[in-house]
Amino acid sequence: QSEYHYEYTACDSTGSRWRVAVPHTPGLCTSLPDPVKGTECSFSCNAGEFLDMKDQSCKPCAEGRYSLGTGIRFDEWDELPHGFASLSANMELDDSTSESTENCTSSKWVPRGDYIASNTDECTATLMYAVNLKQSGTVNFEYYYPDSSIIFEFFVQNDQCQPNVDDSRWMKTTEKGWEFHSVELNRGNNVLYWRTTAFSVWSKVSKPVLVRNIAITGVAYTSECFPCKPGTYAAKQGSSFCKLCPANTYSNKGETSCHQCDPDKYSEKGSSSCKVRPACTDKDYFYTHTACDANGETQLMYKWAMPKICGEDLEGAVKLPASGVKTRCPPCNPGFFKTNNSTCEPCPYGSYSNGSDCTHCPAGTEPAVGFEYKWWNTLPTNMETTVLSGINFEYKGMTGWEVAGDHIYTAVGASDNDFMILTLVVPGFRPPQSVMADTENKEVARITFVFETICSVNCELYFMVGVNSRTNTPVETWKGSKGKQSYTYIVEENATMSFTWAFQRTTFREAGRKYTNDVAKIYSINVTNVLDGVASYCRPCALEASDMGSSCTSCPAGYYIDRDSGTCHSCPPNTILRAHQPYGIQACVPCGTGTKNNKIHSLCYNDCAFTRNTPARTFNYNFSALSNTVTLTGGSSFTSKGLKYFHHFTFSLCGNEGKKMSVCTDNVTDLRIPEGESGFSKSIVSYVCQAVIIPSEVTGYKAGVSSQPVSLADRLIGVTTDMTLDGITSPAELFHPESLGIPDVIFFYRSNDVTQSCSSGRSTTIRVRCSPQKAAPGSLLLPSMCSDGTCDGCNFHFLWESVAACPLCSEADYHAIVSSCVAGIQKTTYVWREPKLCSGGISLPEQRVTICKTIDFWLKVGISAGTCTAILLTVLTCYFWKKNQKLEYKYSKLVMNATLKDCDLPAADSCAIMEGEDVEDDLIFTSKKSLFGKIKSFTSKRTPDGFDSVPLKTSSGGPDMDL
């Protein structure tokens, strides 16, 4: 019988089979038992039983062993169990990036002892297991999935390679440690897939997904029971699972009970061996304060860190220090008062305290409710503390943070990689009425805490926020030592909130206590506007007269409270109200240049209009064509594993009554939601936001993966053509220079998010530039030197070129062209100056037609006038010339007379003017002819002998005589 075993044949079409004997080594022996009719194919034993093939009946498992009946369990992960395969692939679907797939060969699921861990990079790692079920069954497993930047899916493929289509494929992130997941399997072949892809395309490393205790039922009959693994035991017959050994005990494989460790050794829960106890050191205890006693005194006490693994009796061991002397209790926290038995109780509503006695709020004031914890004698009732193991990620019933008078600090954990967790739960908020009316500035309340970390290695302090018991989202992480500082988180949703602080001394996987001196301390926590909170002071309120006297009421939105009279007054135009401190006119803050307030004075916005004044003229702008949301995708980037991703920006420049229109979402864990139903996605609404997009052609999912949404612009600071406003500068050299002579109009924004790297929050500038060739909405550009829109991670700059960014057209932008006069009609046409540097505004005037005289008429008039003028000039010339000649003759005659007197020559006979002769007689000088003389000589008839005939007068005045 020891040389053979029994097996079943394959099932036939009727569902029956035969039991046959099979030798261990073929041909070793003869005379095997004859085949007998087997049990039905669907036959199976219950959990805790196995099928004894000898008589084909079910029998219970012996002590120290277990069985699932029809299934198998995988709970040891020192190596990949038989039948499992771990694959890795680059997410890129196309084969063009074949060289990058080599980067992913090492990105697989890794066995880690008690569990198997996924990859944490952007490769796709798949764990698969194929199983043939004889009957329908289930697969169930435990998983730990803390990081929403990983996509984790579990699905099953059947004989036809079709995956199950229900929503259970997409795993939900775990809230409290390990969670249980179960999926039903159909009969036949099933291939199980656990698949992860991390979208850690920024510096943060994702936390891996962990899976353990995979159990599959419906496999077939179980012909033997499995021994319990080391560290577990099964005390009874017929066990379906093995129990863990308690602390300070151990067990080997297949044990029925656990063995106690020796006194000088210890072990943790579920251990397969004991370790030697080390000598106690100062790292094995911590201090705490007792609660106040009836005398109002507290005492410093020391406690051993649990679980206590060190020995006090060993050589060199330290003893637990003695308790300190009793000291006065610290006062109660603000809003609380001390009772007779020295405990602290909250003051009733309508009163306040500084930690001693409650005082009623004076008339005209109301309590400013909240929580302010700055004295730590006992842990407040709405706070709890625990420890999450950094090894198996299970919660331990231990205290993670201890009170220490003026601060609370992290106690000693079981191991340095444990997470020390402190949680504060706030049931809801009660913001001022005017804040509720404001739909854009969503500050409902704020939490501010002062903390300090002292570290020697790579410690981390996480601050996480959970809404309505949904996933805790890490808001900020501090690594390494950080000096005493404060951090403020703005609550934007009125819901039940949980605030969690988690401190991990080191991420190393080795267990042990080396760095217990590394601590995180929180000195104070202050939460405002808490529902059912307490008050440390009273604030002025608006008074409302009633029959009972005057009572507090809230001012309408946009009204401030006059401290003296308690009356409400509207803020002046172009100011906004600090809604959480609305006291006095100084609570109204002026809006920035180029902006104005909305109706309820809650925010400054730009209505897409802008005016620029120069000495020459006034330029008006209308950007309403740019008011809709516009998106811009930066250049493609690649991670070290070759995953392509983009920085995707969404803009809503102006208008919309200041309503923010840009939405960026985080849909990594919500890809299972159909489009249009992304109600569970983490989304950010602002003027400008950024997300990391991995396009759908890369991921293969129906939608592109959008992750890490960041708001870049929550408040509009102002609109101006100046380069700097309110400490924000938009450097002109980041973009190509403006060439048209029209200065860029710059929109300046700030975001509310304050991070370690951006201590004053992020800022954004958008240069709106006139570009006549680019039709609205135009094009957006990133800085050429900084392809992600920012050079320092905090200040973002963009250039928006569009024709809609040009000034509105005015009369200075066109000129008139006058045509010639045709058929008595003259046309005046108006044309734009080139290049045209305006848009919208006034349109060109219509062509103007005027009646005019034709050119022929004017030509005639001109010729006539010219002719007359010429004749007149000629006559005048002649007249004056002749007069000049006579004067010249008289002058020469005077000269001759003077000469004769001097010489006494005889007088001329006939050439002088005799007495009685007329001086005006015509004289013709043959030597120098006048103009008329020349004309006359040409026109007079010549004598036949060719000589001119000249008439002369005789001296006696007789008749003319020809000579």
Side-chain angles (χ1 to χ4, degrees), residues 682-717:
K682 180 190 172 195
S683 62
I684 276 176
V685 182
S686 65
Y687 292 116
V688 184
C689 61
Q690 174 199 26
V692 172
I693 298 282
I694 298 155
S696 55
E697 67 267 14
V698 173
T699 61
Y701 300 113
K702 62 179 179 290
V705 174
S706 171
S707 64
Q708 307 145 54
V710 174
S711 169
L712 305 181
D714 294 313
R715 303 190 309 279
L716 177 61
I717 303 299

mmCIF file of all heavy atoms in Angstrom, residues 682-717:
data_model
loop_
_atom_site.group_PDB
_atom_site.id
_atom_site.type_symbol
_atom_site.label_atom_id
_atom_site.label_comp_id
_atom_site.label_asym_id
_atom_site.label_seq_id
_atom_site.Cartn_x
_atom_site.Cartn_y
_atom_site.Cartn_z
ATOM 1 N N LYS A 682 -11.766 63.688 -6.152
ATOM 2 C CA LYS A 682 -11.242 64.863 -5.456
ATOM 3 C C LYS A 682 -11.000 65.919 -6.519
ATOM 4 O O LYS A 682 -10.163 65.739 -7.392
ATOM 5 C CB LYS A 682 -9.945 64.493 -4.754
ATOM 6 C CG LYS A 682 -9.325 65.650 -3.999
ATOM 7 C CD LYS A 682 -7.939 65.291 -3.528
ATOM 8 C CE LYS A 682 -7.277 66.521 -2.948
ATOM 9 N NZ LYS A 682 -5.845 66.362 -2.795
ATOM 10 N N SER A 683 -11.767 66.992 -6.467
ATOM 11 C CA SER A 683 -11.614 68.011 -7.508
ATOM 12 C C SER A 683 -11.298 69.352 -6.858
ATOM 13 O O SER A 683 -11.627 69.591 -5.700
ATOM 14 C CB SER A 683 -12.873 68.123 -8.365
ATOM 15 O OG SER A 683 -13.957 68.517 -7.569
ATOM 16 N N ILE A 684 -10.662 70.195 -7.642
ATOM 17 C CA ILE A 684 -10.267 71.535 -7.188
ATOM 18 C C ILE A 684 -10.891 72.539 -8.147
ATOM 19 O O ILE A 684 -10.861 72.334 -9.364
ATOM 20 C CB ILE A 684 -8.733 71.643 -7.181
ATOM 21 C CG1 ILE A 684 -8.196 71.069 -5.867
ATOM 22 C CG2 ILE A 684 -8.276 73.082 -7.351
ATOM 23 C CD1 ILE A 684 -6.717 71.036 -5.785
ATOM 24 N N VAL A 685 -11.501 73.578 -7.610
ATOM 25 C CA VAL A 685 -12.125 74.616 -8.430
ATOM 26 C C VAL A 685 -11.396 75.928 -8.143
ATOM 27 O O VAL A 685 -11.267 76.331 -6.993
ATOM 28 C CB VAL A 685 -13.621 74.761 -8.102
ATOM 29 C CG1 VAL A 685 -14.256 75.811 -8.991
ATOM 30 C CG2 VAL A 685 -14.333 73.426 -8.276
ATOM 31 N N SER A 686 -10.900 76.583 -9.191
ATOM 32 C CA SER A 686 -10.170 77.836 -8.989
ATOM 33 C C SER A 686 -10.153 78.603 -10.308
ATOM 34 O O SER A 686 -10.793 78.218 -11.283
ATOM 35 C CB SER A 686 -8.747 77.560 -8.503
ATOM 36 O OG SER A 686 -8.023 76.885 -9.502
ATOM 37 N N TYR A 687 -9.407 79.719 -10.344
ATOM 38 C CA TYR A 687 -9.255 80.474 -11.591
ATOM 39 C C TYR A 687 -8.264 79.768 -12.520
ATOM 40 O O TYR A 687 -8.455 79.728 -13.730
ATOM 41 C CB TYR A 687 -8.753 81.895 -11.304
ATOM 42 C CG TYR A 687 -9.753 82.758 -10.574
ATOM 43 C CD1 TYR A 687 -9.492 83.230 -9.301
ATOM 44 C CD2 TYR A 687 -10.962 83.096 -11.159
ATOM 45 C CE1 TYR A 687 -10.399 84.016 -8.617
ATOM 46 C CE2 TYR A 687 -11.879 83.884 -10.487
ATOM 47 C CZ TYR A 687 -11.597 84.346 -9.217
ATOM 48 O OH TYR A 687 -12.502 85.119 -8.550
ATOM 49 N N VAL A 688 -7.194 79.239 -11.953
ATOM 50 C CA VAL A 688 -6.204 78.478 -12.727
ATOM 51 C C VAL A 688 -5.844 77.256 -11.899
ATOM 52 O O VAL A 688 -5.551 77.372 -10.707
ATOM 53 C CB VAL A 688 -4.925 79.306 -12.999
ATOM 54 C CG1 VAL A 688 -3.972 78.513 -13.889
ATOM 55 C CG2 VAL A 688 -5.249 80.643 -13.634
ATOM 56 N N CYS A 689 -5.901 76.080 -12.513
ATOM 57 C CA CYS A 689 -5.489 74.881 -11.784
ATOM 58 C C CYS A 689 -4.660 74.000 -12.704
ATOM 59 O O CYS A 689 -4.660 74.158 -13.925
ATOM 60 C CB CYS A 689 -6.685 74.114 -11.232
ATOM 61 S SG CYS A 689 -7.841 73.527 -12.492
ATOM 62 N N GLN A 690 -3.945 73.092 -12.073
ATOM 63 C CA GLN A 690 -3.024 72.225 -12.801
ATOM 64 C C GLN A 690 -3.256 70.789 -12.356
ATOM 65 O O GLN A 690 -3.516 70.520 -11.185
ATOM 66 C CB GLN A 690 -1.575 72.631 -12.490
ATOM 67 C CG GLN A 690 -0.536 71.694 -13.081
ATOM 68 C CD GLN A 690 0.810 71.831 -12.401
ATOM 69 O OE1 GLN A 690 0.880 72.228 -11.247
ATOM 70 N NE2 GLN A 690 1.877 71.511 -13.079
ATOM 71 N N ALA A 691 -3.173 69.866 -13.294
ATOM 72 C CA ALA A 691 -3.223 68.440 -12.965
ATOM 73 C C ALA A 691 -2.201 67.722 -13.835
ATOM 74 O O ALA A 691 -1.773 68.240 -14.870
ATOM 75 C CB ALA A 691 -4.618 67.871 -13.198
ATOM 76 N N VAL A 692 -1.827 66.533 -13.392
ATOM 77 C CA VAL A 692 -0.942 65.685 -14.200
ATOM 78 C C VAL A 692 -1.829 64.714 -14.957
ATOM 79 O O VAL A 692 -2.621 63.988 -14.361
ATOM 80 C CB VAL A 692 0.070 64.943 -13.307
ATOM 81 C CG1 VAL A 692 0.833 63.927 -14.125
ATOM 82 C CG2 VAL A 692 1.024 65.939 -12.683
ATOM 83 N N ILE A 693 -1.715 64.732 -16.281
ATOM 84 C CA ILE A 693 -2.573 63.913 -17.134
ATOM 85 C C ILE A 693 -1.728 62.809 -17.780
ATOM 86 O O ILE A 693 -0.668 63.085 -18.352
ATOM 87 C CB ILE A 693 -3.219 64.770 -18.253
ATOM 88 C CG1 ILE A 693 -4.104 65.854 -17.632
ATOM 89 C CG2 ILE A 693 -4.003 63.904 -19.217
ATOM 90 C CD1 ILE A 693 -5.429 65.375 -17.157
ATOM 91 N N ILE A 694 -2.207 61.575 -17.666
ATOM 92 C CA ILE A 694 -1.631 60.481 -18.434
ATOM 93 C C ILE A 694 -2.700 60.102 -19.457
ATOM 94 O O ILE A 694 -3.775 59.650 -19.082
ATOM 95 C CB ILE A 694 -1.250 59.312 -17.527
ATOM 96 C CG1 ILE A 694 -0.185 59.778 -16.543
ATOM 97 C CG2 ILE A 694 -0.722 58.150 -18.348
ATOM 98 C CD1 ILE A 694 -0.110 59.016 -15.292
ATOM 99 N N PRO A 695 -2.457 60.354 -20.739
ATOM 100 C CA PRO A 695 -3.546 60.244 -21.724
ATOM 101 C C PRO A 695 -4.086 58.828 -21.836
ATOM 102 O O PRO A 695 -3.393 57.855 -21.532
ATOM 103 C CB PRO A 695 -2.887 60.714 -23.035
ATOM 104 C CG PRO A 695 -1.426 60.657 -22.796
ATOM 105 C CD PRO A 695 -1.183 60.779 -21.337
ATOM 106 N N SER A 696 -5.340 58.739 -22.299
ATOM 107 C CA SER A 696 -6.012 57.432 -22.335
ATOM 108 C C SER A 696 -5.346 56.482 -23.319
ATOM 109 O O SER A 696 -5.386 55.273 -23.126
ATOM 110 C CB SER A 696 -7.492 57.621 -22.684
ATOM 111 O OG SER A 696 -7.606 58.343 -23.897
ATOM 112 N N GLU A 697 -4.713 57.030 -24.383
ATOM 113 C CA GLU A 697 -4.060 56.093 -25.319
ATOM 114 C C GLU A 697 -2.845 55.435 -24.682
ATOM 115 O O GLU A 697 -2.357 54.416 -25.160
ATOM 116 C CB GLU A 697 -3.658 56.805 -26.614
ATOM 117 C CG GLU A 697 -2.567 57.853 -26.462
ATOM 118 C CD GLU A 697 -3.135 59.242 -26.250
ATOM 119 O OE1 GLU A 697 -4.351 59.352 -25.960
ATOM 120 O OE2 GLU A 697 -2.379 60.214 -26.377
ATOM 121 N N VAL A 698 -2.358 56.004 -23.584
ATOM 122 C CA VAL A 698 -1.232 55.390 -22.873
ATOM 123 C C VAL A 698 -1.749 54.372 -21.861
ATOM 124 O O VAL A 698 -1.232 53.269 -21.745
ATOM 125 C CB VAL A 698 -0.393 56.480 -22.169
ATOM 126 C CG1 VAL A 698 0.665 55.850 -21.287
ATOM 127 C CG2 VAL A 698 0.264 57.374 -23.204
ATOM 128 N N THR A 699 -2.786 54.759 -21.110
ATOM 129 C CA THR A 699 -3.232 53.893 -20.022
ATOM 130 C C THR A 699 -4.123 52.752 -20.496
ATOM 131 O O THR A 699 -4.174 51.709 -19.857
ATOM 132 C CB THR A 699 -4.037 54.710 -18.999
ATOM 133 O OG1 THR A 699 -5.191 55.250 -19.663
ATOM 134 C CG2 THR A 699 -3.217 55.847 -18.450
ATOM 135 N N GLY A 700 -4.845 52.967 -21.595
ATOM 136 C CA GLY A 700 -5.807 51.941 -22.001
ATOM 137 C C GLY A 700 -7.127 52.056 -21.269
ATOM 138 O O GLY A 700 -8.070 51.332 -21.566
ATOM 139 N N TYR A 701 -7.237 52.946 -20.278
ATOM 140 C CA TYR A 701 -8.522 53.164 -19.620
ATOM 141 C C TYR A 701 -9.360 54.104 -20.475
ATOM 142 O O TYR A 701 -8.843 54.827 -21.315
ATOM 143 C CB TYR A 701 -8.310 53.770 -18.228
ATOM 144 C CG TYR A 701 -7.495 52.888 -17.322
ATOM 145 C CD1 TYR A 701 -6.221 53.270 -16.910
ATOM 146 C CD2 TYR A 701 -7.982 51.657 -16.897
ATOM 147 C CE1 TYR A 701 -5.461 52.452 -16.087
ATOM 148 C CE2 TYR A 701 -7.231 50.835 -16.081
ATOM 149 C CZ TYR A 701 -5.973 51.232 -15.680
ATOM 150 O OH TYR A 701 -5.230 50.426 -14.884
ATOM 151 N N LYS A 702 -10.677 54.068 -20.216
ATOM 152 C CA LYS A 702 -11.566 54.850 -21.084
ATOM 153 C C LYS A 702 -11.320 56.351 -20.949
ATOM 154 O O LYS A 702 -11.562 57.112 -21.853
ATOM 155 C CB LYS A 702 -13.026 54.532 -20.769
ATOM 156 C CG LYS A 702 -13.447 54.888 -19.354
ATOM 157 C CD LYS A 702 -14.914 54.571 -19.142
ATOM 158 C CE LYS A 702 -15.365 54.893 -17.746
ATOM 159 N NZ LYS A 702 -14.836 54.010 -16.726
ATOM 160 N N ALA A 703 -10.830 56.754 -19.786
ATOM 161 C CA ALA A 703 -10.525 58.176 -19.586
ATOM 162 C C ALA A 703 -9.043 58.298 -19.284
ATOM 163 O O ALA A 703 -8.422 57.366 -18.782
ATOM 164 C CB ALA A 703 -11.353 58.723 -18.421
ATOM 165 N N GLY A 704 -8.503 59.434 -19.620
ATOM 166 C CA GLY A 704 -7.120 59.678 -19.216
ATOM 167 C C GLY A 704 -7.049 59.751 -17.702
ATOM 168 O O GLY A 704 -8.005 60.110 -17.032
ATOM 169 N N VAL A 705 -5.902 59.403 -17.167
ATOM 170 C CA VAL A 705 -5.732 59.470 -15.726
ATOM 171 C C VAL A 705 -5.318 60.901 -15.360
ATOM 172 O O VAL A 705 -4.353 61.434 -15.905
ATOM 173 C CB VAL A 705 -4.657 58.468 -15.263
ATOM 174 C CG1 VAL A 705 -4.383 58.644 -13.780
ATOM 175 C CG2 VAL A 705 -5.112 57.058 -15.549
ATOM 176 N N SER A 706 -6.090 61.496 -14.477
ATOM 177 C CA SER A 706 -5.783 62.850 -14.003
ATOM 178 C C SER A 706 -5.477 62.754 -12.516
ATOM 179 O O SER A 706 -6.268 62.212 -11.755
ATOM 180 C CB SER A 706 -6.987 63.766 -14.242
ATOM 181 O OG SER A 706 -6.797 65.000 -13.608
ATOM 182 N N SER A 707 -4.315 63.255 -12.129
ATOM 183 C CA SER A 707 -3.945 63.127 -10.720
ATOM 184 C C SER A 707 -3.269 64.407 -10.245
ATOM 185 O O SER A 707 -2.884 65.267 -11.035
ATOM 186 C CB SER A 707 -3.011 61.930 -10.516
ATOM 187 O OG SER A 707 -1.795 62.133 -11.199
ATOM 188 N N GLN A 708 -3.119 64.490 -8.938
ATOM 189 C CA GLN A 708 -2.457 65.608 -8.248
ATOM 190 C C GLN A 708 -2.984 66.972 -8.679
ATOM 191 O O GLN A 708 -2.217 67.801 -9.174
ATOM 192 C CB GLN A 708 -0.946 65.575 -8.493
ATOM 193 C CG GLN A 708 -0.321 64.263 -8.163
ATOM 194 C CD GLN A 708 0.804 63.952 -9.107
ATOM 195 O OE1 GLN A 708 1.697 64.745 -9.267
ATOM 196 N NE2 GLN A 708 0.776 62.806 -9.744
ATOM 197 N N PRO A 709 -4.289 67.213 -8.573
ATOM 198 C CA PRO A 709 -4.775 68.552 -8.919
ATOM 199 C C PRO A 709 -4.266 69.584 -7.928
ATOM 200 O O PRO A 709 -4.219 69.335 -6.727
ATOM 201 C CB PRO A 709 -6.305 68.407 -8.837
ATOM 202 C CG PRO A 709 -6.512 67.275 -7.887
ATOM 203 C CD PRO A 709 -5.352 66.339 -8.059
ATOM 204 N N VAL A 710 -3.862 70.730 -8.442
ATOM 205 C CA VAL A 710 -3.302 71.802 -7.615
ATOM 206 C C VAL A 710 -3.953 73.110 -8.042
ATOM 207 O O VAL A 710 -4.051 73.398 -9.231
ATOM 208 C CB VAL A 710 -1.773 71.894 -7.794
ATOM 209 C CG1 VAL A 710 -1.226 73.104 -7.057
ATOM 210 C CG2 VAL A 710 -1.087 70.638 -7.288
ATOM 211 N N SER A 711 -4.391 73.893 -7.076
ATOM 212 C CA SER A 711 -4.925 75.219 -7.396
ATOM 213 C C SER A 711 -3.771 76.204 -7.477
ATOM 214 O O SER A 711 -2.944 76.298 -6.572
ATOM 215 C CB SER A 711 -5.916 75.659 -6.314
ATOM 216 O OG SER A 711 -6.221 77.024 -6.499
ATOM 217 N N LEU A 712 -3.704 76.942 -8.582
ATOM 218 C CA LEU A 712 -2.659 77.946 -8.759
ATOM 219 C C LEU A 712 -3.196 79.358 -8.551
ATOM 220 O O LEU A 712 -2.402 80.301 -8.456
ATOM 221 C CB LEU A 712 -2.064 77.843 -10.174
ATOM 222 C CG LEU A 712 -1.534 76.464 -10.591
ATOM 223 C CD1 LEU A 712 -0.968 76.540 -11.994
ATOM 224 C CD2 LEU A 712 -0.489 75.964 -9.627
ATOM 225 N N ALA A 713 -4.523 79.530 -8.522
ATOM 226 C CA ALA A 713 -5.087 80.885 -8.441
ATOM 227 C C ALA A 713 -6.451 80.817 -7.768
ATOM 228 O O ALA A 713 -7.423 80.373 -8.372
ATOM 229 C CB ALA A 713 -5.207 81.494 -9.830
ATOM 230 N N ASP A 714 -6.502 81.234 -6.508
ATOM 231 C CA ASP A 714 -7.770 81.295 -5.774
ATOM 232 C C ASP A 714 -8.298 82.713 -5.630
ATOM 233 O O ASP A 714 -9.480 82.913 -5.423
ATOM 234 C CB ASP A 714 -7.603 80.691 -4.375
ATOM 235 C CG ASP A 714 -7.318 79.206 -4.417
ATOM 236 O OD1 ASP A 714 -8.029 78.512 -5.154
ATOM 237 O OD2 ASP A 714 -6.378 78.747 -3.745
ATOM 238 N N ARG A 715 -7.396 83.703 -5.707
ATOM 239 C CA ARG A 715 -7.812 85.099 -5.535
ATOM 240 C C ARG A 715 -7.202 85.936 -6.642
ATOM 241 O O ARG A 715 -6.023 85.784 -6.967
ATOM 242 C CB ARG A 715 -7.329 85.655 -4.186
ATOM 243 C CG ARG A 715 -7.775 84.910 -2.990
ATOM 244 C CD ARG A 715 -7.442 85.680 -1.695
ATOM 245 N NE ARG A 715 -6.075 86.118 -1.586
ATOM 246 C CZ ARG A 715 -5.058 85.349 -1.203
ATOM 247 N NH1 ARG A 715 -5.282 84.078 -0.941
ATOM 248 N NH2 ARG A 715 -3.833 85.838 -1.097
ATOM 249 N N LEU A 716 -8.020 86.814 -7.211
ATOM 250 C CA LEU A 716 -7.507 87.770 -8.196
ATOM 251 C C LEU A 716 -6.972 88.971 -7.429
ATOM 252 O O LEU A 716 -7.706 89.659 -6.725
ATOM 253 C CB LEU A 716 -8.630 88.182 -9.160
ATOM 254 C CG LEU A 716 -8.251 89.226 -10.208
ATOM 255 C CD1 LEU A 716 -7.137 88.719 -11.110
ATOM 256 C CD2 LEU A 716 -9.462 89.595 -11.061
ATOM 257 N N ILE A 717 -5.664 89.233 -7.573
ATOM 258 C CA ILE A 717 -5.044 90.342 -6.844
ATOM 259 C C ILE A 717 -5.274 91.662 -7.583
ATOM 260 O O ILE A 717 -5.568 92.680 -6.972
ATOM 261 C CB ILE A 717 -3.533 90.082 -6.670
ATOM 262 C CG1 ILE A 717 -3.315 88.753 -5.942
ATOM 263 C CG2 ILE A 717 -2.860 91.216 -5.918
ATOM 264 C CD1 ILE A 717 -3.897 88.699 -4.561
#
